[in-house]
């Protein structure tokens, strides 16, 4: 993932959830992966400095509305459905504060 840290939402939990959503969506769209190991998201959160002891609880809050969390421990996975992907553009606009049809630098 290549996002400048100043682009991330402020706070550990919002940063974790933003990173999770971007990774899950990117892997679904570009790699056709419907399931992603949670450890993949965790390592990116660590790399961006938003990893903390609440990660597992925060990540589980994504469960529902097109994302299903299954398994436990190191085997935990997130399954992404098309219904989640369809709403991702709006999520980015809401989170990053961009208008439809404009790009940020």
């Amino acid at each position: 993932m290549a996002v400048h840290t100043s682009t991330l939402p402020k706070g550990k939990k919002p940063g974790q959830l933003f990173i999770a959503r971007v990774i899950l969506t990117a892997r679904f769209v570009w790699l056709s992966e419907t399931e992603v190991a949670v450890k993949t998201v965790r390592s990116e959160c660590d790399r961006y400095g938003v990893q903390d002891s609440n990660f597992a609880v925060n990540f589980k809050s994504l469960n529902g509305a097109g994302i299903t969390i299954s398994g436990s421990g190191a085997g935990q996975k997130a399954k992404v459905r098309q219904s989640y992907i369809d709403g991702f553009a709006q999520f980015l606009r809401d989170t990053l504060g961009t208008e439809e049809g404009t790009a940020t630098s």
Side-chain angles (χ1 to χ4, degrees), residues 16-26 62 67 84 88 91:
Q16 291 169 10
L17 297 180
F18 179 82
I19 288 169
R21 288 175 170 135
V22 169
I23 289 172
L24 295 175
T25 302
L62 291 174
I67 297 175
Y84 174 77
F88 186 72
F91 160 74

Side-chain angles (χ1 to χ4, degrees), residues 9-102:
K10 303 295 181 224
K12 301 275 185 178
K13 180 178 180 179
Q16 291 169 10
L17 297 180
F18 179 82
I19 288 169
R21 288 175 170 135
V22 169
I23 289 172
L24 295 175
T25 302
R27 293 180 77 106
F28 182 94
V29 172
W30 284 288
L31 301 175
S32 300
E33 292 181 3
T34 58
E35 287 189 346
V36 177
V38 174
K39 65 183 177 181
T40 302
V41 176
R42 185 185 297 267
S43 68
E44 280 299 288
C45 288
D46 188 43
R47 193 169 74 87
Y48 276 89
V50 297
Q51 172 65 21
D52 67 9
S53 61
N54 296 319
F55 175 81
V57 172
N58 294 339
F59 191 82
K60 280 190 176 189
S61 72
L62 291 174
N63 200 30
I67 297 175
T68 304
I69 312 297
S70 62
S72 63
Q76 195 172 34
K77 294 183 179 192
K79 183 171 184 154
V80 180
R81 291 183 176 61
Q82 186 65 46
S83 62
Y84 174 77
I85 301 303
D86 293 342
F88 186 72
Q90 186 62 48
F91 160 74
L92 284 180
R93 284 191 293 274
D94 292 347
T95 303
L96 301 177
T98 60
E99 299 282 330
E100 189 170 339
T102 63

